[in-house]
Amino acid sequence: MKFAHLLAASSLALMAAAGAHAKTLVYCSEGSPEGFDPAPYTAGTTFDAASQAVYNQLVEFKPGTTEIAPALAESYEISDDGLEYTFHLRPGVKFHTTDFFTPTRELNADDVIFSFMRQGDESSPWHQYVAGITYEYYSGMEMPTVIKEIQKVDDLTVKFVLTRPEAPFLANLAMDFASILSKEYADKLEAENRKEDLNNAPVGTGPFKFVAYQKDAVIRYQAFDDYWAGREKIDDLIFAITPDPAVRMQKLQAGECHIMPYPAPADIEALKADPNLQVMEQPGLNVAYLAYNTTVAPFDNPNVRKALNMAMNKEAILEAVFQGTGQVAKNPIPPTMWSYNDAVEDTAFDPEAAKKLLEEAGVSDLSMEIWAMPVQRPYMPNARRTAELMQEDFAKIGVNVEIVSYEWGEYLKKSTDPSRKGAVILGWTGDNGDPDNFMGVLLGCSATGDGGANRAQWCNKEFDDLIQKAKVTADQAERIKLYEEAQLVFKRENPWATIAHSTVFMPMSKKVSGYVMNPLGKHGFSGVDIEE
């Protein structure tokens, strides 16, 4: 990327380079972003690097909660029939001025319309500005069919007109894919025939402006002096990309970074014992799972999927991989989420019954792939080790497993292929606190197909009817009943093996103050300060 000055330096050197009097916060992130446009991607590394630092949404979640608060929209109204959402934009919101772009106007309705329509309008020149991108969130949450039109009422007023009531719509607009970009910047890039830089050199309205990125090494930001919510306390924010959790821990203890995510479970107690550190923790709003491709034989047979689930010793995985920091999962949503159905009975660990079930299904000498993620995520500390334990368990019922993996971006893309033969280890951290964000996005019929988030390619009419009914009613008691019933269908059909819900830990220097853990798994640094 021609705007990125290649920064070949250690974290300590980066801190020194920021200036003797500048406050610099170094975050040892766990991986590289897929890009800096949050709309086409689903990885948390992208959201942290882009939407949490550079961008804002119309509405946002209050720190540490899933409660909606105004952001770029200072107020909004919802019509009585739930079909119109009118947003009044804050006046005077400025876009970042950078070495590569100087805005000539402030945020207006054109930016909002551009940010959404490029995702839903396949004829837009911005829909496929990066070859092969898909909009998993936008399509998985049925935005193309939910949004009838977006109207510009005036420069500071935007109206979303829906085709049907959509209970989670407002919460959806607080998500990363709904970040607001500068249409003026996009027009400039298009005129100069370098549209790809929308994904390489981001311009937003957020608390930090992008400075430079050296791939797989470091991202550098500066506090935005004209941020609409007030300038941040830190001057420079640096993401030191450090995939190995042991190395992240070493850097944190050496003072080379101030905050690290996702420590290895075996290291938690040592981190807690370090007198220079503080360790925050909370139950994760997440789930780890193994998704079978339910359209490919023999995994199209629910009894084959059930047999494999019966052969899996999830307690052993929890102990070996999660080191006991979490709980075995039985549902596709975590127990901290409303509508969780605790009455669901998990599939019992019973290898002998699993063998019999495979025999009854006429399956013998089965060979399969298990895909293991190459990175650590909040819901999965070590996918390779998890796959190895599954491999051992499945061998005991006569199933041969080959473990495969790919680079993270390629893994996410290939795993959506409807013809995929392997079962995929993945997981999810909730984006908005609504059950639809799990059951609709990950398991709904609209999320199947190439580029969709339904890695099981599972389209069950009974399940889909239940979650669709839940989406269009505003009565939460009725929504709870529908989602509880949907969880029973899910467990009966076994499109996944639900593995675990993890506890999330955030170790950091005691010099850091103001950091608030996000229940939705994001890492933002607005309001954070550091003692010099």
Side-chain angles (χ1 to χ4, degrees):
M1 190 189 81
K2 60 183 174 183
F3 299 115
H5 311 295
L6 297 181
L7 304 177
S10 70
S11 300
L12 282 173
L14 285 164
M15 285 190 275
H21 301 292
K23 283 188 177 182
T24 301
L25 182 80
V26 179
Y27 170 63
C28 275
S29 67
E30 79 282 14
S32 299
E34 298 166 277
F36 288 90
D37 177 358
Y41 305 114
T42 62
T45 49
T46 297
F47 298 153
D48 293 343
S51 44
Q52 295 299 303
V54 177
Y55 296 114
N56 293 121
Q57 297 77 39
L58 290 172
V59 291
E60 64 185 8
F61 299 108
K62 288 184 178 179
T65 76
T66 55
E67 184 180 343
I68 301 294
L72 293 181
E74 62 180 358
S75 64
Y76 56 86
E77 299 104 33
I78 305 171
S79 63
D80 290 342
D81 61 7
L83 295 178
E84 293 185 354
Y85 288 69
T86 303
F87 295 91
H88 304 281
L89 304 181
R90 293 182 186 275
V93 173
K94 292 179 169 59
F95 283 100
H96 302 154
T97 297
T98 70
D99 291 342
F100 46 86
F101 177 66
T102 301
T104 64
R105 64 166 177 81
E106 296 168 345
L107 172 79
N108 68 29
D110 295 331
D111 303 305
V112 176
I113 294 170
F114 166 75
S115 299
F116 285 92
M117 294 310 296
R118 70 195 181 97
Q119 300 181 59
D121 181 3
E122 293 184 6
S123 66
S124 166
W126 285 99
H127 187 72
Q128 278 288 311
Y129 77 97
V130 175
I133 59 172
T134 59
Y135 297 91
E136 272 188 49
Y137 276 114
Y138 197 87
S139 58
M141 305 183 90
E142 301 183 346
M143 289 292 188
T145 56
V146 168
I147 297 176
K148 181 179 180 181
E149 61 177 325
I150 308 174
Q151 300 174 355
K152 178 180 178 178
V153 179
D154 57 45
D155 276 352
L156 293 178
T157 309
V158 180
K159 181 184 289 185
F160 287 74
V161 181
L162 308 189
T163 60
R164 64 173 190 250
E166 183 81 355
F169 187 73
L170 192 63
N172 292 347
L173 295 189
M175 290 168 55
D176 302 271
F177 82 92
S179 296
I180 306 303
L181 282 62
S182 166
K183 184 178 186 300
E184 182 185 18
Y185 180 47
D187 289 344
K188 179 178 186 292
L189 294 176
E190 185 172 14
E192 296 174 358
N193 197 30
R194 48 189 188 88
K195 287 158 58 174
E196 70 279 359
D197 282 331
L198 193 73
N199 196 39
N200 297 333
V203 170
T205 60
F208 299 96
K209 63 181 183 179
F210 174 86
V211 176
Y213 172 42
Q214 181 184 353
K215 185 172 173 56
D216 299 331
V218 66
I219 315 170
R220 187 164 181 166
Y221 308 87
Q222 289 177 346
F224 181 34
D225 290 338
D226 294 321
Y227 183 45
W228 59 267
R231 191 189 188 280
E232 293 299 328
K233 297 172 183 176
I234 56 176
D235 301 297
D236 295 284
L237 173 64
I238 293 169
F239 281 34
I241 298 167
T242 314
D244 188 327
V247 177
R248 290 200 297 275
M249 179 177 170
Q250 290 168 7
K251 286 184 175 183
L252 182 66
Q253 291 181 317
E256 294 186 34
C257 63
H258 303 109
I259 304 176
M260 67 165 281
Y262 317 133
D267 293 332
I268 300 298
E269 291 309 313
L271 288 162
K272 287 181 175 180
D274 190 316
N276 298 312
L277 303 179
Q278 54 185 320
V279 180
M280 297 182 179
E281 66 179 271
Q282 66 181 12
L285 193 73
N286 61 38
V287 64
Y289 60 83
L290 177 73
Y292 306 106
N293 188 339
T294 62
T295 65
V296 173
F299 309 107
D300 56 343
N301 184 336
N303 285 332
V304 172
R305 303 192 297 262
K306 183 177 181 180
L308 293 170
N309 289 357
M310 293 173 76
M312 188 184 300
N313 187 343
K314 295 195 289 189
E315 290 286 355
I317 292 172
L318 188 70
E319 183 59 33
V321 177
F322 293 80
Q323 303 278 306
T325 59
Q327 65 185 90
V328 165
K330 63 180 180 180
N331 288 327
I333 63 174
T336 48
M337 175 164 278
W338 61 270
S339 81
Y340 180 82
N341 191 346
D342 200 32
V344 169
E345 290 189 15
D346 200 8
T347 305
F349 173 54
D350 191 338
E352 290 306 314
K355 285 182 188 177
K356 185 176 180 182
L357 205 54
L358 283 182
E359 289 173 6
E360 291 172 355
V363 174
S364 60
D365 300 320
L366 175 61
S367 293
M368 63 181 290
E369 293 178 348
I370 290 182
W371 292 24
M373 306 153 42
V375 297
Q376 185 183 14
R377 300 303 304 137
Y379 48 77
M380 176 51 65
N382 189 331
R384 168 66 64 168
R385 181 62 184 138
T386 300
E388 289 169 351
L389 292 169
M390 292 177 181
Q391 184 182 49
E392 294 170 11
D393 287 340
F394 290 179
K396 293 172 184 174
I397 63 166
V399 175
N400 180 61
V401 169
E402 178 188 0
I403 300 171
V404 299
S405 191
Y406 300 93
E407 179 273 329
W408 184 219
E410 188 179 10
Y411 186 97
L412 291 170
K413 185 178 170 100
K414 283 180 175 289
S415 62
T416 71
D417 184 349
S419 65
R420 184 201 79 233
K421 295 181 180 179
V424 174
I425 295 176
L426 256 178
W428 194 256
T429 298
D431 295 289
N432 63 12
D434 195 283
D436 177 69
N437 182 242
F438 283 78
M439 289 190 265
V441 172
L442 303 179
L443 294 160
C445 289
S446 65
T448 59
D450 196 13
N454 186 338
R455 261 68 180 193
Q457 302 295 334
W458 183 63
C459 180
N460 179 280
K461 186 177 187 305
E462 183 182 2
F463 179 90
D464 210 61
D465 285 348
L466 289 166
I467 64 171
Q468 291 298 330
K469 288 177 185 175
K471 286 178 69 172
V472 299
T473 178
D475 183 339
Q476 185 148 330
E478 179 64 18
R479 294 188 77 201
I480 288 172
K481 285 175 55 181
L482 292 164
Y483 285 131
E484 285 179 342
E485 191 174 344
Q487 288 166 76
L488 290 170
V489 176
F490 167 87
K491 184 53 66 174
R492 184 191 74 215
E493 296 295 318
N494 293 290
W496 296 351
T498 50
I499 301 170
H501 308 292
S502 73
T503 301
V504 180
F505 297 89
M506 282 295 293
M508 65 193 71
S509 167
K510 285 185 176 177
K511 294 181 179 180
V512 173
S513 62
Y515 185 88
V516 178
M517 285 191 76
N518 187 325
L520 304 174
K522 310 299 191 303
H523 303 105
F525 302 95
S526 188
V528 175
D529 200 358
I530 185 162
E531 178 186 323
E532 295 180 296

